[in-house]
Amino acid sequence: MTSGVKCSDDVVSKFQEIKIGHKYKYVTYNISDDLSQIETESTVQQGSWDDFCAALPPDGCRYAVYDFDYELPDGGKRNKLIFVNWCPDSAKIKLKMLYATSKDAIKKKLVGIGNEVQATGLDELNYDEILEKISRGGKN
Amino acid sequence: MSYSLNSILATLPRTQRGSPIVLGGDPKGKNFLYTNGNSVIIRDIESPEIADVYTEHSVQATVAKYAPSGFYIASGDVSGKIRIWDTTQKEHILKYEYHSLGGQIKDIAWSPDSKRIVAVGDGREKYGNVFMWDTGTTVGEIIGHSKAINSVDFKSSRPFRIVTASEDNDSNFYEGPPFKFKHSAKDHGRFVNCIRYSPNGDRYLTGGADGKSFIYEGKTGEKIAELGNGAKSAHAGGIYGVCWSPDNTQVLTVSADKTAKIWDIEKHQVVTEFIMGTTINDQQVGCLWQGDYLLSVSLSGYINYLDKNNPSTPLRIIKGHNKSITAMSAVLYENKSTLYTGSHDGIVNHWSVESGVAESVEGNGHSNQVNELASCCDVIASIGMDDTLKTIDHKTNQFCSSVALDSQPKGVAIGKDSLVVVAEINGVSDDRFL
């Protein structure tokens, strides 16, 4: 099911920059106020996972792409792009529905996402859990 | 006694209602390409009786395009494979094979230097792939579409550009190499079916299922105008194919409203309108403008040679079957050999063996698969899954009589004095036609 919300060109351009140039640490996207299209909300060049979590609004939904760096137990460095679908419980139901139905519109445009994380609260964005999930290599 | 291949009576393009088909042009202007089933058909544009068939795809082939050098053809299939093969020799030796996408390939374009190929279509994650023809290394990313891509084209001059047309109603613009998403155009309200650069690369044109067509600047991708100047849609039905004239001044658009139109590219107005008919089978699903030839493919698979000077009647129409042939019978009458063939959609054609030209048998024909054809002198008997026995008069090539049978016929034989015997699943019956 799709909501008919379109994706602005900027969304793909910013993703391209984070994917190819590693220009940003993370990019957050939101649906515009008139609920017509997905736009880039912010791009951040430096920041830790905790900074990223803190940037997510407690009562608003967001999509985000985070450039996740991690080390394997044997010391090898890895890097993956993760797609975060942030829908806190306290957000308005209408907004949550809209973000859920528009997810395909943005995610299908962003080729090369290593992993997707869905979160309804900060406890689901625990660094260690996500690290484990990513290093498992599974796609869920 | 040994046998050798004399000629091929080629099939028509496989068409599907609602989807565009791609005709591949020849840089030398001699042949054109299309696909049906697992085969790629190479046909001479001047004398279409001359045809060659490439049958190496293991699943349904969907598109074939000549390299601008003319030495190779790249063809794609529903499994996402691309085969690049030689055109200069009869054996069509395979040069390279790549698994390019996760789903059906819908269109292929070569770069003007014949070094890079972009393939688009359906897939799980990505809908397009641009790669070097000899190594398969990707040289950019075709991203930014959220549904299958219907059509793609390469700018024919430097700096290189790629444009794509997708089912998410957008057409995207990529700069490169390496090719990167630049921007998208959201002018269409429905699927964008076809996108083509002009031969000199100055402009490109889109055609959409909303009947609209837009002209864009070739180097920057900025919109210039809409065909018909926006007063009303360019066509009353969806546009399935667009093609430029070799001199860059005109374009041909073909549509499901059963018309084809030639437009002046400066004035954005219709120059010539071709009305192709009134039935669903007269919807136009693909086109090619090569040299002096204007080709348009009907939903029935017929290839129409359009005549600019006489828009009401095509110069010639290539007929034949576009579904599998299930029955065949030859007639030698008054020293002329004629071949009758029936296909599983109920169509019966007669072919002149000498010239290879097909015409359909008119009249009250079968509504379902033709099971068998049998002939004696100048009468041909045909049985079909619609449980009828029909006869065809060889002189007029029309169905002349029809008999309803009790059960499904399996075999038919015809003897002297038009005695016809039919084997049905419940027994044998005979009839005499006078």
Side-chain angles (χ1 to χ4, degrees):
Chain A
M1 201 171 73
T2 53
S3 59
V5 173
K6 298 265 178 204
C7 213
S8 78
D9 283 357
D10 195 42
V11 169
V12 183
S13 312
K14 288 287 184 299
F15 175 75
Q16 204 158 250
E17 284 169 11
I18 195 172
K19 181 182 171 187
I20 298 168
H22 294 285
K23 230 169 147 180
Y24 312 115
K25 191 66 193 166
Y26 61 85
V27 183
T28 59
Y29 304 106
N30 66 341
I31 296 181
S32 62
D33 291 339
D34 60 354
L35 308 181
S36 67
Q37 63 170 359
I38 302 170
E39 297 172 335
T40 311
E41 188 204 31
S42 67
T43 54
V44 177
Q45 291 182 352
Q46 292 289 331
S48 67
W49 179 254
D50 292 335
D51 296 338
F52 168 66
C53 292
L56 294 170
D59 54 358
C61 301
R62 291 289 179 272
Y63 304 113
V65 173
Y66 186 89
D67 191 4
F68 204 93
D69 294 303
Y70 61 99
E71 276 187 19
L72 293 180
D74 60 11
K77 281 203 166 63
R78 292 291 182 273
N79 171 278
K80 255 182 196 172
L81 290 174
I82 58 171
F83 183 81
V84 179
N85 184 7
W86 171 249
C87 268
D89 288 332
S90 50
K92 283 195 198 130
I93 290 180
K94 185 183 174 187
L95 219 52
K96 284 199 277 192
M97 294 281 280
L98 192 65
Y99 272 78
T101 49
S102 310
K103 194 191 82 186
D104 250 17
I106 174 164
K107 212 190 150 195
K108 284 223 167 133
K109 286 191 184 237
L110 310 182
V111 178
I113 296 275
N115 238 302
E116 185 190 336
V117 178
Q118 290 195 38
T120 57
L122 284 175
D123 52 333
E124 286 180 67
L125 291 176
N126 184 308
Y127 184 87
D128 296 326
E129 268 177 37
I130 287 170
L131 178 63
E132 196 220 316
K133 191 169 159 181
I134 290 169
S135 43
R136 266 209 313 265
K139 270 223 151 187
N140 30 38
Chain B
M1 187 176 171
S2 72
Y3 296 92
S4 63
L5 179 68
N6 188 15
S7 63
I8 293 172
L9 304 177
T11 167
L12 295 176
R14 171 66 59 92
T15 54
Q16 193 186 357
R17 198 172 171 190
S19 358
I21 69 157
V22 179
L23 291 180
D26 179 356
K28 295 194 184 80
K30 189 173 182 298
N31 300 324
F32 65 101
L33 305 169
Y34 59 86
T35 62
N36 187 327
N38 295 5
S39 315
V40 176
I41 291 101
I42 308 168
R43 220 157 173 171
D44 191 297
I45 198 162
E46 196 182 327
S47 31
E49 305 78 50
I50 306 168
D52 194 3
V53 181
Y54 178 78
T55 52
E56 297 295 313
H57 278 280
S58 55
V59 291
Q60 190 190 327
T62 49
V63 55
K65 283 281 187 77
Y66 266 101
S69 66
F71 296 129
Y72 295 96
I73 290 174
S75 57
D77 62 31
V78 292
S79 72
K81 271 209 181 91
I82 302 256
R83 293 175 73 89
I84 300 165
W85 38 281
D86 181 88
T87 60
T88 54
Q89 284 158 55
K90 200 97 193 73
E91 292 79 27
H92 299 310
I93 300 157
L94 179 75
K95 186 82 176 167
Y96 302 107
E97 184 184 57
Y98 302 114
H99 192 86
S100 195
L101 293 177
Q104 177 185 350
I105 299 209
K106 293 192 172 186
D107 200 3
I108 296 172
W110 288 76
S111 66
D113 57 3
S114 300
K115 294 252 165 59
R116 301 171 182 85
I117 295 175
V118 52
V120 299
D122 211 345
R124 278 205 199 85
E125 197 189 23
K126 59 177 183 179
Y127 303 105
N129 187 13
V130 49
F131 54 94
M132 300 299 291
W133 85 293
D134 49 355
T135 56
T137 331
T138 55
V139 279
E141 281 189 315
I142 306 298
I143 62 169
H145 282 300
S146 54
K147 281 184 181 162
I149 303 177
N150 279 329
S151 184
V152 67
D153 208 6
F154 238 109
K155 184 161 172 278
S156 46
S157 54
R158 284 180 191 270
F160 288 156
R161 301 283 184 266
I162 289 175
V163 287
T164 56
S166 162
E167 291 187 0
D168 62 6
N169 307 354
D170 292 356
S171 60
N172 282 6
F173 185 82
Y174 301 84
E175 284 183 356
F179 293 95
K180 279 185 200 150
F181 172 84
K182 206 68 199 170
H183 59 82
S184 68
K186 300 178 197 300
D187 296 309
H188 285 281
R190 298 289 312 277
F191 292 179
V192 193
N193 281 329
C194 195
I195 194 160
R196 288 290 175 261
Y197 259 108
S198 63
N200 61 6
D202 282 354
R203 285 161 191 192
Y204 65 94
L205 187 79
T206 60
D210 53 359
K212 292 182 178 175
S213 179
F214 296 94
I215 309 164
Y216 299 87
E217 214 279 323
K219 206 174 137 190
T220 59
E222 278 163 37
K223 184 164 85 171
I224 297 175
E226 181 182 350
L227 288 188
N229 287 325
K232 62 175 191 198
S233 298
H235 278 277
I239 297 175
Y240 286 108
V242 299
C243 202
W244 289 77
S245 69
D247 63 1
N248 304 300
T249 59
Q250 292 182 324
V251 285
L252 172 70
T253 59
V254 299
S255 159
D257 66 1
K258 297 140 200 158
T259 63
K261 289 177 183 171
I262 295 180
W263 302 78
D264 184 290
I265 209 68
E266 296 301 332
K267 299 195 189 79
H268 326 124
Q269 294 295 344
V270 180
V271 179
T272 317
E273 180 172 3
F274 306 90
I275 295 169
M276 307 304 296
T278 50
T279 64
I280 285 171
N281 270 339
D282 297 317
Q283 294 188 352
Q284 303 299 304
V285 293
C287 66
L288 180 69
W289 190 331
Q290 182 166 294
D292 296 330
Y293 297 97
L294 288 117
L295 269 59
S296 170
V297 180
S298 302
L299 185 62
S300 56
Y302 291 175
I303 302 166
N304 308 292
Y305 282 61
L306 306 176
D307 185 355
K308 262 197 269 190
N309 303 318
N310 179 14
S312 54
T313 332
L315 283 173
R316 72 188 295 175
I317 303 174
I318 308 178
K319 294 182 177 175
H321 292 285
N322 79 342
K323 301 276 161 46
S324 48
I325 293 173
T326 52
M328 182 162 76
S329 182
V331 173
L332 182 64
Y333 189 72
E334 289 170 347
N335 284 327
K336 269 179 67 187
S337 314
T338 310
L339 200 62
Y340 287 81
T341 53
S343 61
H344 87 239
D345 53 356
I347 290 170
V348 178
N349 284 333
H350 61 96
W351 306 72
S352 158
V353 172
E354 283 81 21
S355 69
V357 172
E359 282 294 331
S360 57
V361 176
E362 303 293 336
N364 179 24
H366 288 287
S367 61
N368 211 330
Q369 178 179 316
V370 181
N371 270 356
E372 197 172 359
L373 292 163
S375 59
C376 180
C377 303
D378 58 347
V379 180
I380 300 97
S382 104
I383 50 168
M385 292 286 253
D386 53 359
D387 294 359
T388 58
L389 162 67
K390 290 174 194 284
T391 58
I392 301 162
D393 184 356
H394 175 60
K395 292 193 192 81
T396 59
N397 279 315
Q398 295 222 328
F399 285 103
C400 45
S401 59
S402 175
V403 176
L405 302 168
D406 299 332
S407 56
Q408 193 189 98
K410 283 289 185 191
V412 63
I414 183 165
K416 258 196 330 193
D417 303 329
S418 299
L419 178 74
V420 178
V421 183
V422 180
E424 302 172 22
I425 51 172
N426 290 344
V428 175
S429 67
D430 62 85
D431 254 301
R432 189 178 294 273
F433 291 98
L434 296 173

